[in-house]
């Protein structure tokens, strides 16, 4: 998804973030030149934002299993249309920052429909350290 200051990707959260059922429109803003670290900022409540990152760099074996109803809600027809993100809990350093692997954010890059999906997979941590 390309991002410029005048054309930020707007994500419609058809499956809202748990605890924020009325916050459905978020802008995805890149926070670093590589585009790894992003902020999902609520368009309705600008102080509400979530730090997110594609998990592959930190968790190369992470492959969540997503139910068919989720794919239908997000209108995902092809794996190429999926942007997978994990929500971070920022620590005082990279070593103390954790990622929620139990509830990733999926975005259909074609339709910009998204959602945070609480997975039914035992063993996935809600606070996985980014560094070992």
């Amino acid at each position: 998804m390309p991002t410029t200051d005048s054309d930020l990707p707007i994500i419609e959260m058809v499956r809202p973030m748990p605890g924020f059922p009325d916050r459905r429109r978020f802008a995805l803003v890149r926070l670093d030149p590589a585009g790894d670290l992003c902020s999902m900022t609520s368009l309705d409540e600008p102080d509400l934002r979530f730090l997110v990152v594609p998990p592959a760099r930190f968790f190369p074996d992470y492959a969540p299993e997503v139910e068919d109803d989720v794919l239908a809600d997000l209108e995902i027809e092809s794996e190429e249309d999926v942007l997978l993100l994990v929500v971070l809990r920022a620590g005082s350093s990279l070593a103390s920052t954790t990622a929620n692997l139990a509830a990733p954010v999926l975005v259909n890059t074609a339709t910009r429909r998204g959602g945070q999906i609480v997975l039914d997979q035992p063993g996935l941590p809600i606070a996985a350290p980014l560094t070992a």
Side-chain angles (χ1 to χ4, degrees), residues 2-122:
T3 59
T4 65
D5 289 341
S6 62
D7 182 33
L8 293 174
I10 305 302
I11 300 167
E12 179 69 29
M13 297 296 282
V14 295
R15 287 185 169 236
M17 307 292 275
F20 302 95
D22 298 330
R23 302 297 176 246
R24 294 185 174 258
R25 296 181 59 227
F26 287 82
L28 187 62
V29 182
R30 288 186 180 163
L31 300 177
D32 68 341
D36 287 335
L37 182 63
C38 297
S39 168
M40 279 182 46
T41 304
S42 171
L43 295 180
D44 302 310
E45 187 179 334
D47 289 339
L48 176 64
R49 68 182 191 151
F50 299 93
L51 293 176
V52 294
V53 66
R57 176 176 166 206
F58 301 102
F59 308 99
D61 297 330
Y62 180 64
E65 296 172 16
V66 180
E67 300 292 326
D68 290 341
D69 63 320
V70 172
L71 299 177
D73 285 353
L74 302 181
E75 299 176 353
I76 293 172
E77 297 176 4
S78 167
E79 192 174 316
E80 289 77 33
D81 290 340
V82 178
L83 173 63
L84 176 64
L85 301 166
V86 291
V87 178
L88 300 181
R89 184 185 159 280
S92 58
S93 68
L94 187 62
S96 61
T97 297
T98 60
N100 182 343
L101 300 183
V105 174
L106 290 163
V107 178
N108 179 330
T109 57
T111 65
R112 296 188 179 175
R113 291 169 65 90
Q116 186 172 26
I117 313 306
V118 178
L119 300 172
D120 187 21
Q121 289 176 252

